[in-house]
Amino acid sequence: MKQYCNVELRLSEDLLRKFLFVSEAENRSPAAQFAFMVRNNVAYYEKTKGKISDADLKKIDISEYLPKEN
């Protein structure tokens, strides 16, 4: 089972409204729209700069984004 993480995001009210507008226009929830945009951004990065290796990914500390255990 995949483990999902939370990321805090700070946006201006104007940008938030535009983001929510696009989400609704694309028939996605805000969370699904954000995930869609992140996937597209990573795909673009890898297309233009090369695939991100598993070794490089393992170097990234994601502990602050993992759900806190009670």
Side-chain angles (χ1 to χ4, degrees), residues 23-45:
S23 299
E24 187 174 317
E26 297 288 327
N27 295 313
R28 292 188 184 94
S29 68
Q33 181 69 23
F34 184 73
F36 173 78
M37 292 183 331
V38 170
R39 282 191 304 272
N40 282 348
N41 185 257
V42 170
Y44 176 79
Y45 181 94

Side-chain angles (χ1 to χ4, degrees), residues 16-27:
L16 175 61
R17 289 178 195 280
K18 288 178 180 182
F19 171 73
L20 294 173
F21 180 91
V22 171
S23 299
E24 187 174 317
E26 297 288 327
N27 295 313

Side-chain angles (χ1 to χ4, degrees), residues 3 5 8 10 12 15-16 19 22 26 28-30 35 41 43 45-46 50 55 58-63 65 68-69:
Q3 183 171 1
C5 304
E8 185 175 331
R10 295 181 62 188
S12 68
L15 187 55
L16 175 61
F19 171 73
V22 171
E26 297 288 327
R28 292 188 184 94
S29 68
N41 185 257
Y45 181 94
E46 289 188 324
K58 289 178 183 177
K59 295 177 189 175
I60 306 296
D61 178 13
I62 62 168
S63 60
Y65 303 103
K68 306 293 186 245
E69 294 187 26

